[in-house]
Amino acid sequence: MHQNHAALRYQADCLHNLLQAMLKCCEERVDHEQRLFGLPCSEINCLLLFKEKRYIILTQVSRELGVAKSRATAMIDALVHKGLADKKTDPHDARIKIIVLTRSGEKRLQAVQDYQTTVHEQVLRKFSPQERDQILTCLEKLKYSMELVKEELGEGQGGD
């Protein structure tokens, strides 16, 4: 029993170290993206909300990015100021402003998506198709397990 606990402790340390190294790699890629596209990470993430949507509303930005409405407003205003988005009145409810991408915003979004896809394809090319399937399956299980443990520990419930 003691040997199993020692092995689990060792594996937990390995998991921690691997996750830290992967996080650092991802943070460096995000820094590179910010320089490459001339936008802060928050605005890139806001652009990415349009991946499969023609428009969004402020409450969606706030909810999906996990930020206060004031922070979401600042991100949208920055995109509008840079000519990447426009605010329009909802034709069904004048109280609601919908946010749409401009042609320039659509081009920037496509460039971000193309870059991210290229990076991820390059990573996956380092593995055989069978290894890719195994990696993606294991990562999905890891994500699910991390979400379960977060829930069990009551983490991430405070909100803004």
Side-chain angles (χ1 to χ4, degrees), residues 124 127-140:
L124 289 172
F127 303 96
S128 71
Q130 182 180 1
E131 289 172 322
R132 290 179 212 155
D133 288 339
Q134 291 170 345
I135 288 168
L136 294 174
T137 299
C138 288
L139 285 173
E140 185 63 38

Side-chain angles (χ1 to χ4, degrees), residues 110-123:
Q110 189 61 55
V112 169
Q113 288 180 279
D114 290 347
Y115 174 78
Q116 290 179 345
T117 297
T118 298
V119 168
H120 294 130
E121 285 176 353
Q122 286 179 323
V123 169

Side-chain angles (χ1 to χ4, degrees), residues 36-47:
L36 186 65
F37 298 109
L39 295 172
C41 178
S42 60
E43 292 173 26
I44 290 172
N45 289 336
C46 193
L47 272 182

